[in-house]
């Protein structure tokens, strides 16, 4: 899954794809490089970020979706109105980082459209989520949360086979929590749905490599953790540097499945 943030302030690519033309070109390049789907977002969820008003988010993402008509697209939004307008323009997956807790209308929009859905774990909200996150056991707490959200979605009419689950790397978690979630990914796979991992460029990778003030991680570190997540059973890797991820994953895959 390639990432196109049509935002001025995303933590690693803020501003790069802020005008529709560069966002469209960036998405096309990612698809050529082997992305199976491109996740388009118009609101940053980086730690400390403030919410984006509806009109501004629509102004950012709609021209990009229109320019990419026919391409496999996901919409990264917490707003039902944005999701609905994106689905009308051909998006196939709703990536809601609140896991249907942010906007009460979201579950209905997804259920009625027949779209795919990604449910992600987040502790708190982006503005405050990195203020000393604590868990007794991060893996079982994230698994219990995702299990509950999966039941909620299914009870409200979203077919189970359309849903994938995501531990929410960096959303209310320390460096140790993030790596433990990948180490014990089997506990999330046990919920019976495909798992999406979005570790690309996240600050834990920069901190792991020795910079305590890092706000992003390198491409090489992102690829390393993506391969480790794949090896543990992740099926969707959300990544900014698509070519590097596709090449690394093709090589890793050849180890498991003879070419
Ligand atoms: N991470 C980000 C945004 N959306 N969605 C899912 N399902 N999983 C993730 O890990 C995830 C996500 C944050 O990364 P990015 O989009 O690069 O930055 P920003 O939120 O600052 O736009």
């Amino acid at each position: 899954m390639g990432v196109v943030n049509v935002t001025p302030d995303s933590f690693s690519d803020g501003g790069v794809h802020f005008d529709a033309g560069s966002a469209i070109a960036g998405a096309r390049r990612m698809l050529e490089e082997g992305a199976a789907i491109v996740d388009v977002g118009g609101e940053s969820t980086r730690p400390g970020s403030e919410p984006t008003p509806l009109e501004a988010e629509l102004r950012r993402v709609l021209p990009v979706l229109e320019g990419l008509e026919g391409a496999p697209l996901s919409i990264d939004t917490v707003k039902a109105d944005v999701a609905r307008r994106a689905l009308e323009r051909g998006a196939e997956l709703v990536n809601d980082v609140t896991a249907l807790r942010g906007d009460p209308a979201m579950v209905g929009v997804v259920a009625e459209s027949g779209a795919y859905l990604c449910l992600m774990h987040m502790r708190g909200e982006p503005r405050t989520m990195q203020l000393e996150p604590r868990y007794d056991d991060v893996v079982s707490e994230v698994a219990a949360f995702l299990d509950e959200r999966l039941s909620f979605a299914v009870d409200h009419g979203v077919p189970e086979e359309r849903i994938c689950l995501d531990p929410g790397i960096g959303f209310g978690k320390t460096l140790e929590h993030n790596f433990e979630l990948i180490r014990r990914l089997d506990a999330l796979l046990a919920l019976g749905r495909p798992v999406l991992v979005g570790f690309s460029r996240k600050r834990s990778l920069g901190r792991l490599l020795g910079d305590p003030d890092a706000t992003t991680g390198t491409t090489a570190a992102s690829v390393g953790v993506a391969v480790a997540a794949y090896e543990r059973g992740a099926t969707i890797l959300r990544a900014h540097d698509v070519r590097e991820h596709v090449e690394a994953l093709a090589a890793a895959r050849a180890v498991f499945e003879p070419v």
Side-chain angles (χ1 to χ4, degrees):
M1 172 185 274
V3 182
V4 169
N5 290 311
V6 196
T7 57
D9 57 343
S10 287
F11 77 96
S12 82
D13 64 346
V16 176
H17 295 128
F18 192 40
D19 73 279
S22 12
I24 293 166
R28 291 224 173 95
R29 198 191 61 241
M30 291 178 190
L31 292 164
E32 275 163 29
E33 290 174 351
I37 190 161
V38 174
D39 192 33
V40 177
E43 173 173 46
S44 174
T45 50
R46 75 182 191 290
S49 60
E50 296 286 341
T52 304
L54 172 66
E55 287 307 321
E57 192 176 334
L58 287 171
R59 254 196 323 273
R60 292 175 185 179
V61 298
L62 293 185
V64 176
L65 298 168
E66 277 156 18
L68 290 167
E69 203 192 326
L73 298 176
S74 153
I75 178 74
D76 185 349
T77 187
V78 302
K79 297 184 186 74
D81 279 339
V82 176
R84 189 173 42 74
R85 307 271 292 265
L87 294 167
E88 284 165 8
R89 281 162 183 76
E92 329 181 348
L93 186 153
V94 174
N95 176 23
D96 176 6
V97 298
T98 73
L100 307 176
R101 296 172 303 157
D103 184 335
M106 185 68 103
V107 69
V109 167
V110 177
E112 279 155 33
S113 66
Y116 289 94
L117 172 66
C118 178
L119 296 172
M120 194 196 80
H121 176 272
M122 167 163 50
R123 167 69 62 86
E125 55 178 83
R127 210 164 41 79
T128 53
M129 65 193 177
Q130 288 306 102
L131 305 173
E132 296 195 44
R134 287 214 180 94
Y135 300 84
D136 287 330
D137 175 13
V138 67
V139 176
S140 52
E141 287 173 51
V142 167
F145 171 89
L146 292 175
D147 194 23
E148 188 278 326
R149 290 287 85 200
L150 179 60
S151 301
F152 175 87
V154 171
D155 289 348
H156 287 79
V158 184
E160 183 163 351
E161 61 276 12
R162 300 235 145 204
I163 303 175
C164 68
L165 305 175
D166 181 342
I169 298 302
F171 287 85
K173 290 155 194 111
T174 62
L175 182 153
E176 290 78 14
H177 294 143
N178 289 329
F179 284 97
E180 186 171 1
L181 282 160
I182 305 300
R183 192 176 311 122
R184 294 170 52 201
L185 208 66
D186 57 332
L188 305 185
L189 292 167
L191 299 172
R193 299 306 311 143
V195 170
L196 184 157
V197 169
F199 221 133
S200 177
R201 297 191 188 169
K202 291 218 169 135
R203 63 163 72 174
S204 285
L205 298 169
R207 293 180 184 194
L208 177 79
L209 298 184
D211 177 0
D213 302 319
T215 54
T216 62
T218 61
T219 304
S222 306
V223 167
V225 79
V227 168
Y230 165 72
E231 193 267 336
R232 281 164 178 72
T235 8
I236 307 171
L237 286 311
R238 186 178 182 276
H240 302 79
D241 305 289
V242 169
R243 180 183 300 282
E244 289 83 350
H245 279 76
V246 166
E247 290 180 355
L249 290 164
R253 186 177 190 169
V255 175
F256 294 100
E257 298 166 30
V259 280

